[in-house]
Amino acid sequence: MRLFSFKSLIYFTFLLSLCVIALGAYTRLTEAGLGCPDWPGCYGFISVPQSTEQQLVAQQIFPTAPLEVEKAWNEMVHRYFAGSLGILILLINVLAWRRKYAPKLLPALLLVTVIFQALLGMWTVTMALMPIVVMGHLLGGFTTASLLFLLVLRVRQQERKSTAIFSSMLHSPRSSSRYLKVFALSALFVVVGQIALGGWTASNYAAVACTQLPVCEGDWQGNFDPTAFEPIQPVHDSYQYGVLNYHQRVSIHVAHRIGAMVTTAILILLIVFLLRTAGLRRYGFILTAALIVQVSLGITNIVASLPLLVAVGHNVMGVVLLLSIVATNYRIYCGQQTLQGSHLFAREGRNHG
């Protein structure tokens, strides 16, 4: 397969991963996570039961889980897309190992990640939406998209090394200070932590526990309950709609909101540094746009009581913000290597010429 086709496959798979994340958020927000009580099929069928006979069989197999066709379809469409993503990642691995100069480590990491992600998807159903599993499933989706994005950047970097030196010099930043490198990497970990808090908030149905700004109504400080963050909760038949009490949900919501304030402050500082560094300004502009949209969506979720499309958009912009930080770190850490590699490539070309 030609490099162009291999590159296109990677690009398409990356875009599909974003669709899977959006569909996952939509499935969760429409309470369709248990739309099919079994896995990987639906009520014992490969698809949602359609005929009257199939629905009667489904009722007999799962008498305590009445079929809701719309929710079942939401869940199955998500599974179909996620399954297609896994197949494409497997294909990327096969093609990568058949190509001498194709990246090998990233596709392998992707394959391991998507296999574990499939297990988390199964456990999400079999463990009846246990919050730690739901949060892990969300983080797994974000990790998959991030690794695919890194693979996109890696393939583009290889292309630059095989083109004229002028192109690499044009797009490579000046040597970044050690301080900026550490700060950018720290910002990445902060964003990941905030995404995990968001996943914990969603999986415990705490998104609308507070309805006022800037923090929360009532005595949230006096009622703060650290037990809300215990990863393993008492066993329940189902965790749908949440099992924590009001004060515990408020504690989770407040932690996520304060985390958003801290994350915003750190990203603003990073943006200032990026805008003052030649070769990195465009990353500062991208981060600024992503941050403004994400904060606006978060505020809208609070004042408008979690509108479906806004909540889905908040999830999607979360991964966009994460990918922006990933791209920034990649450029800071690998940009200078790209420039040095281009110099070496050009020098070797002149020697052979």
Side-chain angles (χ1 to χ4, degrees), residues 180 267-292 321 324-325 327-329 331-332:
L180 178 57
L267 289 181
I268 289 174
L269 288 175
L270 176 60
I271 288 168
V272 171
F273 291 137
L274 293 174
L275 294 177
R276 295 174 61 183
T277 305
L280 295 175
R281 292 190 182 95
R282 63 172 177 165
Y283 295 94
F285 291 130
I286 292 172
L287 274 175
T288 299
L291 182 61
I292 290 174
L321 189 61
S324 301
I325 296 287
T328 301
N329 276 272
R331 177 56 68 192
I332 290 173

Side-chain angles (χ1 to χ4, degrees), residues 10 92 103 106-107 110 147-156:
I10 294 173
I92 287 174
L106 275 174
L110 269 167
L147 290 174
L148 279 165
F149 187 55
L150 282 173
L151 187 56
V152 168
L153 295 175
R154 185 75 179 90
V155 170
R156 291 184 62 188

Side-chain angles (χ1 to χ4, degrees), residues 7 31 51-52 62 72 88 112 146-147 150 196 229 320 344 350:
K7 182 184 73 173
E31 304 299 342
S51 66
T52 303
F62 298 95
L88 290 180
V112 172
S146 297
L147 290 174
L150 282 173
F229 301 93
V320 170
L344 179 61
R350 287 195 298 268

Side-chain angles (χ1 to χ4, degrees), residues 296-329:
S296 300
L297 290 171
I299 293 174
T300 304
N301 276 329
I302 294 169
V303 300
S305 298
L306 206 68
L308 178 59
L309 293 182
V310 175
V312 173
H314 192 55
N315 278 262
V316 173
M317 282 308 303
V319 73
V320 170
L321 189 61
L322 174 62
L323 296 177
S324 301
I325 296 287
V326 168
T328 301
N329 276 272

Side-chain angles (χ1 to χ4, degrees), residues 137-180:
H137 195 45
L138 180 143
L139 290 175
F142 278 46
T143 301
T144 302
S146 297
L147 290 174
L148 279 165
F149 187 55
L150 282 173
L151 187 56
V152 168
L153 295 175
R154 185 75 179 90
V155 170
R156 291 184 62 188
Q157 184 186 48
Q158 285 185 333
E159 283 189 333
R160 288 195 180 105
K161 285 183 178 181
S162 63
T163 56
I165 184 174
F166 174 75
S167 176
S168 293
M169 292 178 64
L170 184 64
H171 293 89
S172 296
R174 295 176 184 174
S175 181
S176 304
S177 67
R178 181 182 182 128
Y179 179 78
L180 178 57

